[in-house]
mmCIF file of all heavy atoms in Angstrom:
data_model
loop_
_atom_site.group_PDB
_atom_site.id
_atom_site.type_symbol
_atom_site.label_atom_id
_atom_site.label_comp_id
_atom_site.label_asym_id
_atom_site.label_seq_id
_atom_site.Cartn_x
_atom_site.Cartn_y
_atom_site.Cartn_z
ATOM 1 N N PHE A 215 25.790 -11.824 -25.218
ATOM 2 C CA PHE A 215 24.930 -12.932 -24.996
ATOM 3 C C PHE A 215 24.979 -13.476 -23.597
ATOM 4 O O PHE A 215 26.035 -13.620 -23.081
ATOM 5 C CB PHE A 215 25.198 -14.036 -25.940
ATOM 6 C CG PHE A 215 24.382 -15.231 -25.700
ATOM 7 C CD1 PHE A 215 23.060 -15.427 -26.181
ATOM 8 C CD2 PHE A 215 24.980 -16.375 -25.094
ATOM 9 C CE1 PHE A 215 22.330 -16.560 -25.905
ATOM 10 C CE2 PHE A 215 24.270 -17.488 -24.955
ATOM 11 C CZ PHE A 215 22.928 -17.656 -25.347
ATOM 12 N N SER A 216 23.902 -13.638 -22.912
ATOM 13 C CA SER A 216 23.854 -14.296 -21.546
ATOM 14 C C SER A 216 23.008 -15.524 -21.583
ATOM 15 O O SER A 216 21.855 -15.490 -21.985
ATOM 16 C CB SER A 216 23.259 -13.228 -20.572
ATOM 17 O OG SER A 216 22.963 -13.916 -19.355
ATOM 18 N N LEU A 217 23.693 -16.696 -21.316
ATOM 19 C CA LEU A 217 22.956 -17.935 -21.292
ATOM 20 C C LEU A 217 21.856 -17.914 -20.288
ATOM 21 O O LEU A 217 20.724 -18.394 -20.509
ATOM 22 C CB LEU A 217 23.930 -19.071 -20.992
ATOM 23 C CG LEU A 217 23.249 -20.496 -20.954
ATOM 24 C CD1 LEU A 217 22.693 -20.824 -22.242
ATOM 25 C CD2 LEU A 217 24.360 -21.469 -20.503
ATOM 26 N N ARG A 218 22.131 -17.335 -19.069
ATOM 27 C CA ARG A 218 21.112 -17.302 -18.081
ATOM 28 C C ARG A 218 19.839 -16.426 -18.490
ATOM 29 O O ARG A 218 18.722 -16.915 -18.269
ATOM 30 C CB ARG A 218 21.763 -16.641 -16.780
ATOM 31 C CG ARG A 218 20.693 -16.535 -15.606
ATOM 32 C CD ARG A 218 21.306 -15.695 -14.484
ATOM 33 N NE ARG A 218 20.461 -15.536 -13.387
ATOM 34 C CZ ARG A 218 20.698 -14.761 -12.336
ATOM 35 N NH1 ARG A 218 21.767 -14.059 -12.348
ATOM 36 N NH2 ARG A 218 19.810 -14.676 -11.371
ATOM 37 N N ARG A 219 20.141 -15.309 -19.103
ATOM 38 C CA ARG A 219 18.980 -14.465 -19.512
ATOM 39 C C ARG A 219 18.264 -15.189 -20.751
ATOM 40 O O ARG A 219 17.080 -15.111 -20.851
ATOM 41 C CB ARG A 219 19.562 -13.169 -19.953
ATOM 42 C CG ARG A 219 18.436 -12.210 -20.438
ATOM 43 C CD ARG A 219 18.950 -10.739 -20.528
ATOM 44 N NE ARG A 219 19.220 -10.283 -19.132
ATOM 45 C CZ ARG A 219 19.948 -9.209 -18.897
ATOM 46 N NH1 ARG A 219 20.477 -8.484 -19.879
ATOM 47 N NH2 ARG A 219 20.136 -8.851 -17.621
ATOM 48 N N TRP A 220 19.017 -15.862 -21.587
ATOM 49 C CA TRP A 220 18.386 -16.524 -22.701
ATOM 50 C C TRP A 220 17.487 -17.649 -22.227
ATOM 51 O O TRP A 220 16.304 -17.826 -22.653
ATOM 52 C CB TRP A 220 19.445 -17.153 -23.599
ATOM 53 C CG TRP A 220 18.868 -18.057 -24.751
ATOM 54 C CD1 TRP A 220 18.355 -17.686 -25.908
ATOM 55 C CD2 TRP A 220 18.709 -19.433 -24.633
ATOM 56 N NE1 TRP A 220 17.914 -18.677 -26.579
ATOM 57 C CE2 TRP A 220 18.074 -19.866 -25.900
ATOM 58 C CE3 TRP A 220 18.967 -20.483 -23.767
ATOM 59 C CZ2 TRP A 220 17.759 -21.154 -26.207
ATOM 60 C CZ3 TRP A 220 18.640 -21.740 -23.986
ATOM 61 C CH2 TRP A 220 18.021 -22.090 -25.209
ATOM 62 N N TRP A 221 17.866 -18.434 -21.171
ATOM 63 C CA TRP A 221 17.143 -19.507 -20.648
ATOM 64 C C TRP A 221 15.789 -18.904 -19.964
ATOM 65 O O TRP A 221 14.767 -19.509 -20.035
ATOM 66 C CB TRP A 221 17.861 -20.310 -19.639
ATOM 67 C CG TRP A 221 17.036 -21.382 -18.986
ATOM 68 C CD1 TRP A 221 16.664 -21.371 -17.722
ATOM 69 C CD2 TRP A 221 16.519 -22.582 -19.610
ATOM 70 N NE1 TRP A 221 15.914 -22.519 -17.430
ATOM 71 C CE2 TRP A 221 15.755 -23.296 -18.563
ATOM 72 C CE3 TRP A 221 16.547 -23.158 -20.923
ATOM 73 C CZ2 TRP A 221 15.119 -24.446 -18.799
ATOM 74 C CZ3 TRP A 221 15.884 -24.345 -21.098
ATOM 75 C CH2 TRP A 221 15.237 -24.925 -20.056
ATOM 76 N N ARG A 222 16.015 -17.781 -19.222
ATOM 77 C CA ARG A 222 14.906 -17.204 -18.542
ATOM 78 C C ARG A 222 13.846 -16.620 -19.435
ATOM 79 O O ARG A 222 12.724 -16.538 -19.069
ATOM 80 C CB ARG A 222 15.500 -16.100 -17.600
ATOM 81 C CG ARG A 222 14.405 -15.530 -16.680
ATOM 82 C CD ARG A 222 14.950 -14.293 -15.926
ATOM 83 N NE ARG A 222 16.052 -14.699 -15.031
ATOM 84 C CZ ARG A 222 17.290 -14.202 -15.122
ATOM 85 N NH1 ARG A 222 17.574 -13.237 -16.080
ATOM 86 N NH2 ARG A 222 18.148 -14.511 -14.233
ATOM 87 N N THR A 223 14.292 -16.216 -20.656
ATOM 88 C CA THR A 223 13.325 -15.525 -21.535
ATOM 89 C C THR A 223 13.061 -16.324 -22.774
ATOM 90 O O THR A 223 12.199 -17.161 -22.812
ATOM 91 C CB THR A 223 13.896 -14.103 -21.921
ATOM 92 O OG1 THR A 223 15.194 -14.258 -22.503
ATOM 93 C CG2 THR A 223 14.044 -13.256 -20.696
ATOM 94 N N SER A 224 13.865 -16.229 -23.788
ATOM 95 C CA SER A 224 13.562 -16.891 -25.057
ATOM 96 C C SER A 224 13.707 -18.408 -25.020
ATOM 97 O O SER A 224 13.090 -19.167 -25.799
ATOM 98 C CB SER A 224 14.506 -16.346 -26.138
ATOM 99 O OG SER A 224 14.354 -14.978 -26.261
ATOM 100 N N GLY A 225 14.556 -18.885 -24.180
ATOM 101 C CA GLY A 225 14.900 -20.284 -24.164
ATOM 102 C C GLY A 225 13.891 -21.134 -23.501
ATOM 103 O O GLY A 225 13.948 -22.418 -23.437
ATOM 104 N N MET A 226 12.847 -20.594 -22.891
ATOM 105 C CA MET A 226 11.836 -21.342 -22.156
ATOM 106 C C MET A 226 10.859 -22.036 -23.160
ATOM 107 O O MET A 226 10.269 -21.351 -23.986
ATOM 108 C CB MET A 226 11.159 -20.482 -21.152
ATOM 109 C CG MET A 226 11.996 -19.992 -19.993
ATOM 110 S SD MET A 226 11.033 -19.077 -18.873
ATOM 111 C CE MET A 226 10.033 -20.352 -18.171
ATOM 112 N N ALA A 227 10.584 -23.282 -22.981
ATOM 113 C CA ALA A 227 9.677 -23.917 -23.857
ATOM 114 C C ALA A 227 8.252 -23.767 -23.358
ATOM 115 O O ALA A 227 7.979 -23.414 -22.206
ATOM 116 C CB ALA A 227 9.996 -25.431 -23.859
ATOM 117 N N GLY A 228 7.323 -24.096 -24.268
ATOM 118 C CA GLY A 228 5.965 -24.030 -23.855
ATOM 119 C C GLY A 228 5.336 -22.672 -23.599
ATOM 120 O O GLY A 228 4.696 -22.447 -22.621
ATOM 121 N N LYS A 229 5.598 -21.684 -24.542
ATOM 122 C CA LYS A 229 5.190 -20.327 -24.254
ATOM 123 C C LYS A 229 3.663 -20.314 -24.169
ATOM 124 O O LYS A 229 3.140 -19.382 -23.431
ATOM 125 C CB LYS A 229 5.691 -19.395 -25.346
ATOM 126 C CG LYS A 229 7.134 -19.114 -25.203
ATOM 127 C CD LYS A 229 7.586 -18.030 -26.156
ATOM 128 C CE LYS A 229 9.073 -17.607 -25.955
ATOM 129 N NZ LYS A 229 9.466 -16.512 -26.992
ATOM 130 N N GLN A 230 2.996 -21.037 -25.014
ATOM 131 C CA GLN A 230 1.511 -20.951 -24.984
ATOM 132 C C GLN A 230 0.865 -21.396 -23.666
ATOM 133 O O GLN A 230 0.028 -20.762 -23.158
ATOM 134 C CB GLN A 230 0.958 -21.822 -26.154
ATOM 135 C CG GLN A 230 1.253 -21.287 -27.547
ATOM 136 C CD GLN A 230 0.842 -19.852 -27.750
ATOM 137 O OE1 GLN A 230 -0.267 -19.441 -27.351
ATOM 138 N NE2 GLN A 230 1.646 -18.983 -28.300
ATOM 139 N N GLY A 231 1.508 -22.470 -23.175
ATOM 140 C CA GLY A 231 1.044 -22.807 -21.775
ATOM 141 C C GLY A 231 1.335 -21.856 -20.729
ATOM 142 O O GLY A 231 0.555 -21.556 -19.827
ATOM 143 N N LEU A 232 2.522 -21.205 -20.891
ATOM 144 C CA LEU A 232 2.949 -20.176 -19.933
ATOM 145 C C LEU A 232 1.963 -18.973 -20.023
ATOM 146 O O LEU A 232 1.511 -18.439 -19.023
ATOM 147 C CB LEU A 232 4.306 -19.647 -20.275
ATOM 148 C CG LEU A 232 4.875 -18.427 -19.487
ATOM 149 C CD1 LEU A 232 4.983 -18.766 -18.081
ATOM 150 C CD2 LEU A 232 6.186 -18.022 -20.060
ATOM 151 N N LEU A 233 1.555 -18.582 -21.259
ATOM 152 C CA LEU A 233 0.642 -17.459 -21.379
ATOM 153 C C LEU A 233 -0.733 -17.804 -20.877
ATOM 154 O O LEU A 233 -1.497 -16.921 -20.344
ATOM 155 C CB LEU A 233 0.496 -17.058 -22.841
ATOM 156 C CG LEU A 233 1.808 -16.344 -23.432
ATOM 157 C CD1 LEU A 233 1.624 -16.111 -24.919
ATOM 158 C CD2 LEU A 233 2.017 -15.028 -22.705
ATOM 159 N N ARG A 234 -1.104 -19.069 -20.894
ATOM 160 C CA ARG A 234 -2.420 -19.465 -20.415
ATOM 161 C C ARG A 234 -2.308 -19.344 -18.868
ATOM 162 O O ARG A 234 -3.348 -18.865 -18.325
ATOM 163 C CB ARG A 234 -2.786 -20.929 -20.775
ATOM 164 C CG ARG A 234 -3.238 -21.095 -22.194
ATOM 165 C CD ARG A 234 -3.917 -22.381 -22.395
ATOM 166 N NE ARG A 234 -2.962 -23.492 -22.302
ATOM 167 C CZ ARG A 234 -2.261 -24.007 -23.257
ATOM 168 N NH1 ARG A 234 -2.378 -23.501 -24.560
ATOM 169 N NH2 ARG A 234 -1.380 -25.022 -23.128
ATOM 170 N N ARG A 235 -1.266 -19.674 -18.228
ATOM 171 C CA ARG A 235 -1.159 -19.536 -16.762
ATOM 172 C C ARG A 235 -1.138 -18.024 -16.389
ATOM 173 O O ARG A 235 -1.836 -17.551 -15.453
ATOM 174 C CB ARG A 235 0.123 -20.133 -16.231
ATOM 175 C CG ARG A 235 0.174 -21.663 -16.382
ATOM 176 C CD ARG A 235 1.233 -22.251 -15.546
ATOM 177 N NE ARG A 235 2.529 -21.812 -15.870
ATOM 178 C CZ ARG A 235 3.303 -22.511 -16.794
ATOM 179 N NH1 ARG A 235 2.757 -23.535 -17.449
ATOM 180 N NH2 ARG A 235 4.455 -22.104 -17.115
ATOM 181 N N VAL A 236 -0.542 -17.219 -17.266
ATOM 182 C CA VAL A 236 -0.580 -15.761 -17.030
ATOM 183 C C VAL A 236 -1.930 -15.159 -17.185
ATOM 184 O O VAL A 236 -2.402 -14.333 -16.351
ATOM 185 C CB VAL A 236 0.458 -15.042 -18.020
ATOM 186 C CG1 VAL A 236 0.304 -13.536 -17.908
ATOM 187 C CG2 VAL A 236 1.842 -15.388 -17.665
ATOM 188 N N ARG A 237 -2.691 -15.672 -18.141
ATOM 189 C CA ARG A 237 -4.021 -15.295 -18.352
ATOM 190 C C ARG A 237 -4.842 -15.582 -17.167
ATOM 191 O O ARG A 237 -5.678 -14.840 -16.708
ATOM 192 C CB ARG A 237 -4.610 -15.977 -19.550
ATOM 193 C CG ARG A 237 -6.029 -15.523 -19.894
ATOM 194 C CD ARG A 237 -6.109 -14.329 -20.716
ATOM 195 N NE ARG A 237 -7.481 -13.971 -21.042
ATOM 196 C CZ ARG A 237 -7.748 -12.968 -21.909
ATOM 197 N NH1 ARG A 237 -6.781 -12.338 -22.503
ATOM 198 N NH2 ARG A 237 -9.012 -12.687 -22.132
ATOM 199 N N ARG A 238 -4.752 -16.764 -16.668
ATOM 200 C CA ARG A 238 -5.502 -17.206 -15.475
ATOM 201 C C ARG A 238 -5.244 -16.289 -14.301
ATOM 202 O O ARG A 238 -6.121 -15.895 -13.480
ATOM 203 C CB ARG A 238 -5.342 -18.651 -15.069
ATOM 204 C CG ARG A 238 -6.015 -19.601 -16.090
ATOM 205 C CD ARG A 238 -5.984 -20.996 -15.454
ATOM 206 N NE ARG A 238 -4.740 -21.591 -15.262
ATOM 207 C CZ ARG A 238 -4.071 -22.270 -16.126
ATOM 208 N NH1 ARG A 238 -4.578 -22.514 -17.380
ATOM 209 N NH2 ARG A 238 -2.851 -22.781 -15.879
ATOM 210 N N ARG A 239 -3.927 -16.024 -14.074
ATOM 211 C CA ARG A 239 -3.498 -15.065 -13.000
ATOM 212 C C ARG A 239 -4.124 -13.726 -13.159
ATOM 213 O O ARG A 239 -4.545 -13.074 -12.173
ATOM 214 C CB ARG A 239 -1.992 -14.986 -12.902
ATOM 215 C CG ARG A 239 -1.496 -14.096 -11.816
ATOM 216 C CD ARG A 239 0.046 -14.112 -11.730
ATOM 217 N NE ARG A 239 0.564 -13.029 -10.920
ATOM 218 C CZ ARG A 239 0.648 -13.224 -9.574
ATOM 219 N NH1 ARG A 239 0.297 -14.427 -9.023
ATOM 220 N NH2 ARG A 239 1.092 -12.278 -8.800
#
Side-chain angles (χ1 to χ4, degrees):
F215 173 78
S216 167
L217 179 61
R218 180 186 177 192
R219 181 165 292 164
W220 174 84
W221 174 253
R222 187 187 295 119
T223 56
S224 302
M226 295 183 66
K229 283 187 179 179
Q230 293 304 317
L232 174 64
L233 287 175
R234 282 195 295 271
R235 292 196 298 274
V236 171
R237 179 84 180 191
R238 287 195 297 270
R239 178 178 173 84

